[in-house]
Amino acid sequence: MTTNQFLCEVCNRGFQREQNLQLHRRGHNLPGKLKQKTNNEVRKRVYICPEVGCVFHDPSRAGEDLTAIKKHFSRKHSRKKFSCDNCKKKFAVHGDRKAHNMFCAKKEYICECGTTFST
């Protein structure tokens, strides 16, 4: 597995081949010597929430998992279109409503006198 060992010193974009970096550097109008990527410069890709006011919009608080950020955005910032039939609580994700229904289902009890009541 190859790594991006050639780094652009302006935007830190990495390239596997020196020629690709040289072509990229033309866009910055930079001639000259190339910078080699060292092990301590390896950066992980992070995903931020697109909602500007959200705490996860800050790259220092961002997640490394795109799926987690998508679920966060859906749950916290999207329209909640699924509602519980019992308590009318709303959910953005159908699976969340389904899990909620397991605990919110009406339980009916019949008293010895015949009266029905629910919790």
Side-chain angles (χ1 to χ4, degrees), residues 6 20 26 38 42 51 58 77 91 101-102 106 118-119:
F6 299 100
N20 292 346
R26 288 182 189 172
T38 61
V42 174
E51 192 73 24
D58 180 16
H77 307 298
F91 300 92
N101 279 345
M102 291 173 49
K106 286 186 180 179
S118 61
T119 59

Side-chain angles (χ1 to χ4, degrees), residues 4-65:
N4 295 333
Q5 61 182 355
F6 299 100
L7 270 186
C8 174
E9 61 270 18
V10 175
C11 65
N12 285 329
R13 185 171 172 191
F15 297 90
Q16 294 177 3
R17 296 178 53 212
E18 183 179 4
Q19 294 87 349
N20 292 346
L21 175 59
Q22 287 175 350
L23 287 171
H24 167 79
R25 288 175 50 136
R26 288 182 189 172
H28 296 301
N29 293 324
L30 293 175
K33 197 172 182 181
L34 301 175
K35 180 180 174 184
Q36 290 284 330
K37 189 177 196 178
T38 61
N39 287 341
N40 59 354
E41 291 178 343
V42 174
R43 297 184 322 179
K44 290 184 179 179
R45 183 177 203 132
V46 294
Y47 299 95
I48 62 169
C49 178
E51 192 73 24
V52 178
C54 182
V55 295
F56 297 110
H57 184 70
D58 180 16
S60 65
R61 299 276 317 262
E64 295 177 11
D65 184 16

Side-chain angles (χ1 to χ4, degrees), residues 97-108:
R97 182 191 69 133
K98 215 171 160 183
H100 168 81
N101 279 345
M102 291 173 49
F103 299 103
C104 188
K106 286 186 180 179
K107 295 181 181 176
E108 293 186 350

Side-chain angles (χ1 to χ4, degrees), residues 75 82 93-100:
R75 287 180 173 128
F82 302 103
V93 179
H94 177 66
D96 291 348
R97 182 191 69 133
K98 215 171 160 183
H100 168 81

